[in-house]
Amino acid sequence: MKPTDTTTYRALNTYTKLMRAAESVTSRVSRTMAAADLTISQFGVLEALLHKGPLCQRDIAAKILKSTGNITLVIDNLEKRSLVRRERTSVDRRYLTIQLTGHGLELIRQVFTRVEAAIVAEMQVLTNDEQEALGVLCKKLGLREGRG
Amino acid sequence: MKPTDTTTYRALNTYTKLMRAAESVTSRVSRTMAAADLTISQFGVLEALLHKGPLCQRDIAAKILKSTGNITLVIDNLEKRSLVRRERTSVDRRYLTIQLTGHGLELIRQVFTRVEAAIVAEMQVLTNDEQEALGVLCKKLGLREGRG
DNA sequence: TTCATATAGTTTAATATTAAACAATATGAC
DNA sequence: GTCATATTGTTTAATATTAAACTATATGAA
């Protein structure tokens, strides 16, 4: 094999394994969300609100890496279930502040606890050092430019 | 922090970085596919056919981790563009063998070359050893049971 | 043979997702 | 103030995705 081929081969292999791992872990962890009738996006929004407090839709979109159009729909659906509520900001009337309702807070606390446990369980196949190492490597890959 | 908290904290951190890295890399690499008017799924199907030869839809579904219903649609769309064709197997008439057309083969070869280059570029932020290490860690995470 | 069961692929209904066009509001130059 | 430009969120149209019900075919036991 020429050096270029080796390089390509290694890169493709690593890429494939990264993608498989992410999809595999996501699909298992998301079952916990589905059990509470939450999609991954819905969980992402509620979790952002739980840990960051009230946010405008644009910030939520940036946090969960979805389009603002999509966030409008996700919030619509959460609002129908009274898990969040929209509040127009008085300072800048373009903004909507999204807040958890009491019911929403209660739900996301419960579900987050279970999702957290699922994630911990997933990561237990790696030692502490391996987890740290994986984190460092992933961070390097994520650092490049571009949406995402 | 109690030991349990440290464990949880580390697991959540690693999980988040893994997801971010995967989404980030995917979103950049998929631009190369979009430039050829291929979705990630369409590219996945064509690439599977390129490297594994003709496959039935069930095997394709397993390969790209999508439902068989979805594969039906993806193949429909590729067939409309004359990139693949369906052929009923004579041995077992339930199976459809999906084959690349000449046009499809030509396209996926070109696009795969560009996607490959994009992936190599992404991975160049890591040294060879880091890529190998990442591959090993990801493989461990992907090995658990369950869909995906 | 016949019937129960399994498997491949399709269809349907519900939902998710995006890009792009749009409305409402804000900001800043003049 | 006024107008050009930015920004926030919504809508629309096109597509993607899944689960579940369904059709057609195959397999194997009695």
Side-chain angles (χ1 to χ4, degrees):
Chain A
M1 249 199 290
K2 286 191 299 185
T4 309
D5 295 342
T6 320
T7 299
T8 302
Y9 182 78
R10 177 167 33 230
L12 288 182
N13 249 285
T14 307
Y15 171 82
T16 304
K17 285 172 187 157
L18 173 67
M19 293 307 148
R20 289 284 165 152
E23 281 164 1
S24 180
V25 171
T26 301
S27 110
R28 288 187 299 260
V29 169
S30 67
R31 285 179 202 152
T32 310
M33 303 171 193
D37 258 311
L38 292 176
T39 64
I40 296 179
S41 290
Q42 288 172 344
F43 174 84
V45 169
L46 295 179
E47 195 259 326
L49 296 175
L50 174 65
H51 290 123
K52 304 217 159 187
L55 292 172
C56 73
Q57 296 194 182
R58 180 153 201 73
D59 289 346
I60 293 175
K63 177 84 179 5
I64 72 168
L65 307 176
K66 292 284 148 69
S67 67
T68 59
N70 184 31
I71 293 303
T72 294
L73 182 71
V74 174
I75 302 283
D76 280 354
N77 290 333
L78 291 174
E79 205 174 29
K80 275 181 206 152
R81 288 167 65 183
S82 302
L83 298 174
V84 303
R85 83 174 152 263
R86 287 177 161 101
E87 240 168 68
R88 186 67 68 177
T89 309
S90 49
V91 184
D92 185 332
R93 296 187 44 72
R94 287 171 306 179
Y95 286 75
L96 286 174
T97 299
I98 313 301
Q99 313 215 5
L100 284 170
T101 61
H103 182 36
L105 177 62
E106 193 182 348
L107 178 70
I108 187 58
R109 272 191 181 143
Q110 279 176 19
V111 178
F112 183 76
T113 302
R114 291 189 212 119
V115 167
E116 195 174 59
I119 291 172
V120 170
E122 288 290 326
M123 288 298 156
Q124 288 321 294
V125 301
L126 302 180
T127 66
N128 291 346
D129 284 352
E130 284 173 338
Q131 287 179 50
E132 305 278 5
L134 178 58
V136 170
L137 295 172
C138 284
K139 190 144 197 183
K140 280 193 194 178
L141 276 179
L143 280 183
R144 319 184 94 229
E145 280 310 307
R147 211 210 81 203
Chain B
M1 250 199 290
K2 287 190 299 183
T4 309
D5 295 343
T6 320
T7 299
T8 302
Y9 182 79
R10 177 166 37 229
L12 289 181
N13 249 285
T14 306
Y15 171 83
T16 304
K17 284 173 187 159
L18 174 67
M19 294 306 147
R20 289 284 164 154
E23 281 163 0
S24 179
V25 171
T26 300
S27 112
R28 289 186 299 259
V29 169
S30 68
R31 286 179 201 153
T32 310
M33 304 172 193
D37 258 311
L38 292 176
T39 64
I40 295 179
S41 290
Q42 289 172 343
F43 175 84
V45 170
L46 296 179
E47 194 258 328
L49 297 174
L50 174 66
H51 289 122
K52 304 218 158 187
L55 292 172
C56 72
Q57 295 192 184
R58 182 153 198 72
D59 290 346
I60 293 175
K63 177 83 176 14
I64 72 167
L65 307 177
K66 293 285 148 69
S67 67
T68 59
N70 184 31
I71 294 302
T72 294
L73 182 72
V74 174
I75 302 282
D76 280 354
N77 290 333
L78 291 174
E79 206 173 28
K80 276 182 206 151
R81 288 166 66 183
S82 302
L83 298 174
V84 303
R85 84 175 151 264
R86 286 175 163 102
E87 240 169 68
R88 186 67 67 177
T89 309
S90 48
V91 186
D92 186 332
R93 296 187 45 70
R94 286 172 305 181
Y95 287 75
L96 288 173
T97 299
I98 313 301
Q99 313 215 3
L100 284 170
T101 61
H103 182 37
L105 177 61
E106 193 182 349
L107 179 70
I108 187 56
R109 273 193 180 141
Q110 280 176 19
V111 178
F112 182 75
T113 302
R114 290 189 213 119
V115 167
E116 196 175 57
I119 291 172
V120 170
E122 288 290 328
M123 289 298 157
Q124 289 320 295
V125 301
L126 301 180
T127 66
N128 291 346
D129 285 352
E130 284 173 338
Q131 286 178 51
E132 305 278 6
L134 179 58
V136 170
L137 296 173
C138 285
K139 189 143 198 183
K140 280 192 195 180
L141 276 180
L143 279 184
R144 316 183 98 230
E145 279 311 305
R147 212 210 79 205

